[in-house]
Structures are given as C-alpha cells and as structure tokens.
Amino acid sequence: MLFTIIIVLFSLIALTVLHEAGHFLLAKKFGVKVEEFGIGYPPKVYGKKFGRTIYSLNLLPFGAFVRILGEEDISDSQESFSSKPIWQRALILLGGVVSFWVVAFLIFTLIIGVGGVPTAITDDFSPAETSAYVQILQVSPDSPADLAGIKPGDIITKLKVKSEKLKVEEENISQAKEVQNFVGEHKDEEIIVFLQRGEENMEIALIPRVNPPQGEGAIGVILARVANLKYPWYQAPIQAAKLTFQQTKAIPLALVKAIKSRIGGEKDSGLQFVGPIGIGQIMGQAMHQGWGNYLMLIAMISIWMALFNILPVPALDGGRLFFLVIELIKRKPVNHKIEQRLTAAFFFLMVALMALVSIKDIIRLF
C-alpha cells in the first residue's frame, strides 16, 4: 500500500515537473530570466543556485513551479517575461501545455513498441501474435456486478453455473458474445465469474437480473474484446501520434456526451468528477492491473491535464493566453491589476471546487 502511494505521488509530481520544464526551457530559449525552479511547494527544504536560477526542493509534495521574472509583476528588465513579444510569451505559456502531449506521445510509443496497446476488437477479428481477452470497461452502480465487487479493468477468464463449467477445456473466454450468451441463458441463477485483476485471480458469485433497468445488461457491465496490438519499433511513433490525437479528440466528445446524459436525467452517465484523492485511488487500481494499464492511465491523465490547462480560464495557461489575445487585438496589455484579481479569484474558486470534490472522494472511500 505504501509503495503504491509513493509511486502514484511520484507520478503526479513528475507530470507537473515536466509541465513546468516546458515553461522553463522556452523561457531560457527566449532569454527570459527564470529565478527559481521548484519541486513541491514552499516552505523550502533545500535550494542550490546554478547559473542564474535557484533549483529547490520544497516541503509540500503537491507539484512544481517556475518563478519567471516579470510573469507576475511588471518589470522593466529586458530579461523579463513582460518585455518579450507576444508570440514569445505565448510560446512560453504553450510550452507547459504541449509538454503534457509530449509525455502522452512518449508513453504511447513505449507501450505500442514494447508490450502492445490494449485495443477493442470485434469477435470475428483474429489478432496475430497475441491472444484476445474479454475485459470489463464499465460497471453500473448498484448492479449485480457492482454489489459483487467487480471493477472496471477486470478480465473475465471463465464462467460457471455453481459447480458446472461453461467449457470442459481450460481455456480463457476470448469473445464478448460468449459471456453475453452465457449470462442470458442463466438469468436468476447463481453463476461464478472467474476474474483476473492484475496478477490476482479470483472467483465472484452473482445472480444475473431477469429485468435489468433500461440501458443496462443482466449483470450491469459493459464488455469489450481486447487485444494488445504491437507494432514494429519504427511504426510505434506513428501509431503513438495517431493515438494521442485520437484521445485528444475523444476526451472532450465523451465529456460533452456524459454531461448531456447527466442533464437528461440518466442514472449512469459515465461521468464522475474526482479530485486528487480520487485520481490517486484510480491510479492505484490501475497499478494493480499491471504496469501497462498504469502507464496507459498516466498518458490519459497527461492528455486530460493538457486539455484542462488550455481552457481560457484565468489561473490556467489558457487564461494567460486569452489575455495575450486581448492584448494583441487591443494593441495594449490588459490592466495588470484586473488580470491579477481575476487570476486570484479563479484560483481560489478552483481550490474550493477541488476541496469539495476531495471531500466527496473521501466520503466515497468510506
């Protein structure tokens, strides 16, 4: 448990460090003075100056930061952020956002080239050099699967009716329709579901419903037939770039669809807001399902963070870019005090929302 917490915390800190490194490198490139590059937040534990920048380790392990001359306060120095042309300031801000996409691309390249990327396939597709498996993608709340303890990411290996085997041979179920047909034939009977969760194998008993709610199956899960599709090393970067683009496009579309479903009153819209605690819990679950799943989740979180950070909201990089667009149109900077007040207001609003969601995460845990 402690090892999992350390790995999850290290991963999240590493993402923020790489994000800040994007700002840092482009600031250096354009001759902007970076006063400090810190890991964690103050109070400072240790700091060492190399060149003209202080590199520090700080007590609160919740991220990282760069302190750039002239970014928060107006400075007349030629090395300040505020003195640089709009296009250079925009690239410095975009550096942090783009770094998230770069991280996702590199992780996808590693997964695709080494272990293969989990990909949903049809039942009639026969993947070469790899075996397919049936994985649970989503579990409906209060369904038989949910009450029995089945979780997203679990792999169904076998099914039984009490002591009767579904098949005589000891083979993994490899098609989603096998599970669907079996469950349909044994509604209102106790069945045993054999699951693989990471390196752990388990047996779970449940009773499929005869009349499930609309939009849910007899046991309340969404299944997919999955195979780890691997590509030659020289094709891996191309496939990784495609996957990064596809997920960047798919995430906002899925979010909009889920919000519309929630507004429409659907019980299970697939939308669940979580804070740092909830994200840490999800990452811990992914780690127990194997390092491949964990790395996939890190890549997806990285894309989420890129999309979130690019939003035109004060206190985010996208908000700072929005102010630059206004400056470009008006041909003069936005009033510094107004920008600071808006940034502070939205920062405290986001902190309050994060605290509220974190409280809900804690309640959900217990």
Side-chain angles (χ1 to χ4, degrees):
M1 181 64 178
L2 179 60
F3 175 74
T4 300
I5 293 174
I6 291 173
I7 294 297
V8 167
L9 189 60
F10 176 81
S11 300
L12 292 175
I13 292 175
L15 282 179
T16 56
V17 168
L18 292 170
H19 166 73
E20 297 298 336
H23 296 311
F24 173 83
L25 292 173
L26 283 170
K28 290 283 191 180
K29 170 68 176 178
F30 296 127
V32 177
K33 182 180 179 182
V34 180
E35 297 176 316
E36 184 175 0
F37 190 130
I39 298 177
Y41 292 111
K44 187 183 298 183
V45 175
Y46 175 80
K48 180 73 173 178
K49 191 170 185 178
F50 293 95
R52 305 181 66 190
T53 302
I54 297 172
Y55 298 86
S56 64
L57 290 174
N58 299 274
L59 185 62
L60 303 178
F62 302 126
F65 67 93
V66 288
R67 187 155 50 87
I68 297 175
L69 178 65
E71 186 177 21
E72 301 296 334
D73 299 313
I74 296 176
S75 173
D76 294 330
S77 172
Q78 294 299 311
E79 294 181 311
S80 71
F81 177 82
S82 56
S83 70
K84 298 301 177 181
I86 289 179
W87 69 271
Q88 291 186 1
R89 283 180 279 161
L91 287 177
I92 292 172
L93 293 172
L94 282 171
V97 178
V98 172
S99 67
F100 283 132
W101 275 303
V102 171
V103 169
F105 164 75
L106 292 175
I107 292 176
F108 286 146
T109 300
L110 176 66
I111 294 172
I112 291 171
V114 177
V117 61
T119 305
I121 59 175
T122 60
D123 280 344
D124 58 355
F125 179 75
S126 298
E129 300 181 0
T130 185
S131 59
Y133 51 91
V134 176
Q135 189 167 39
I136 294 170
L137 303 183
Q138 185 174 324
V139 180
S140 299
D142 301 322
S143 65
D146 182 42
L147 297 176
I150 293 177
K151 299 182 182 299
D154 288 347
I155 295 172
I156 299 178
T157 58
K158 286 192 298 184
L159 293 169
K160 284 185 182 180
V161 178
K162 294 184 179 178
S163 61
E164 180 187 345
K165 290 184 179 180
L166 171 63
K167 292 184 176 181
V168 176
E169 60 268 22
E170 295 286 336
E171 291 183 349
N172 291 347
I173 289 176
S174 61
Q175 294 184 339
K177 66 182 179 183
E178 291 179 317
V179 179
Q180 294 164 345
N181 292 339
F182 182 87
V183 170
E185 293 169 1
H186 298 284
K187 291 182 178 179
D188 207 27
E189 298 180 49
E190 184 178 77
I191 65 173
I192 308 298
V193 183
F194 290 74
L195 299 173
Q196 180 182 335
R197 183 177 297 167
E199 298 180 357
E200 183 181 4
N201 294 306
M202 58 185 68
E203 302 175 18
I204 291 180
L206 56 83
I207 300 176
R209 298 171 292 194
V210 177
N211 296 306
Q214 184 177 2
E216 294 185 18
I219 63 176
V221 299
I222 295 178
L223 301 170
R225 185 172 184 248
V226 179
N228 292 329
L229 300 184
K230 186 177 177 181
Y231 293 84
W233 64 267
Y234 55 87
Q235 291 184 9
I238 298 173
Q239 297 300 324
K242 290 180 180 178
L243 184 57
T244 303
F245 175 76
Q246 290 168 357
Q247 293 303 318
T248 299
K249 184 174 65 172
I251 288 173
L253 293 176
L255 183 60
V256 170
K257 182 180 178 181
I259 291 174
K260 286 182 177 179
S261 299
R262 178 66 63 87
I263 294 174
E266 292 188 18
K267 179 182 176 182
D268 184 16
S269 64
L271 177 66
Q272 182 178 351
F273 291 103
V274 295
I277 295 174
I279 292 173
Q281 184 185 19
I282 294 170
M283 291 173 70
Q285 293 172 354
M287 187 181 300
H288 287 110
Q289 293 167 5
W291 283 102
N293 284 331
Y294 183 73
L295 288 174
M296 281 291 293
L297 179 60
I298 294 295
M300 295 300 294
I301 289 174
S302 191
I303 294 175
W304 268 99
M305 293 176 74
L307 292 170
F308 176 73
N309 229 336
I310 202 66
L311 292 175
V313 176
L316 300 177
D317 290 332
R320 301 293 300 277
L321 286 167
F322 180 69
F323 287 131
L324 289 183
V325 171
I326 295 175
E327 179 181 341
L328 182 64
I329 294 172
K330 295 179 63 178
R331 297 177 181 267
K332 65 177 183 178
V334 175
N335 184 283
H336 188 63
K337 288 185 178 180
I338 293 176
E339 182 178 344
Q340 281 189 322
R341 287 171 184 171
L342 284 172
T343 299
F346 276 90
F347 174 78
F348 286 116
L349 178 61
M350 286 191 295
V351 170
L353 287 173
M354 188 178 296
L356 179 62
V357 174
S358 296
I359 291 172
K360 289 187 177 180
D361 288 341
I362 294 172
I363 294 173
R364 195 180 296 116
L365 285 174
F366 297 99

